[in-house]
């Protein structure tokens, strides 16, 4: 059993910053990848940022230069630092952790945290 607990969402004015955290606990073997996704009302869930073992990262174009994903392996925690927030960043943000068991990756999702950016 794996649990993901997210924190850090909230209401912020445009141009402000927020830092999301997602801590994994439970039967964790090897974390292969971690990521943040978001889903705005009426839209599909999209990948915002991802990070894999070795530290390689990727971002959706709309957040490049504004958001930074990082991880603390000792704490099994992934972070998303969000700067220069825009109203279009408003969404529910979900973390995902990919755990390796043998040759297979199993994905686990957080409960979601609301980020609202006012204009």
């Amino acid at each position: 059993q794996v649990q993901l607990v997210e924190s850090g969402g909230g209401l912020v004015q445009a141009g402000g910053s927020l830092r999301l955290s997602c801590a994994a606990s439970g039967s964790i073997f090897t974390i292969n990848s971690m990521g943040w996704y978001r889903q705005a009302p009426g839209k599909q869930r999209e990948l915002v940022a991802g990070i894999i073992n070795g530290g390689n990262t990727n971002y959706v174009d709309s957040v490049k230069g504004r958001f930074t994903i990082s991880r603390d392996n000792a704490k099994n925690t992934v972070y998303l630092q969000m700067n220069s927030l825009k109203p279009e960043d408003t969404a529910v943000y979900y973390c995902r952790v990919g755990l390796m068991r043998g040759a297979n990756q199993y994905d686990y999702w957080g409960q979601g945290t609301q980020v609202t950016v006012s204009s």
Side-chain angles (χ1 to χ4, degrees), residues 4-9 19-23 33-39 45-51 58-60 63 67-71 77-82 92-97 109-115:
L4 301 182
V5 177
E6 300 179 20
S7 60
R19 189 191 193 209
L20 305 183
S21 300
C22 174
S33 64
M34 307 177 90
W36 288 96
Y37 295 70
R38 67 186 179 188
Q39 187 166 18
R45 188 176 297 187
E46 66 170 351
L47 172 65
V48 177
I51 185 167
N58 63 289
Y59 299 89
V60 66
V63 308
F67 290 10
T68 302
I69 188 171
S70 61
R71 61 190 282 182
T77 299
V78 61
Y79 305 96
L80 185 68
Q81 178 67 43
M82 304 185 294
V92 178
Y93 284 70
Y94 300 88
C95 68
R96 178 197 59 80
V97 173
W109 292 85
Q111 80 281 6
T113 185
Q114 177 70 45
V115 171

Side-chain angles (χ1 to χ4, degrees), residues 14-31:
S17 298
L18 287 172
R19 189 191 193 209
L20 305 183
S21 300
C22 174
S25 62
S27 301
I28 298 173
F29 295 94
T30 302
I31 296 178

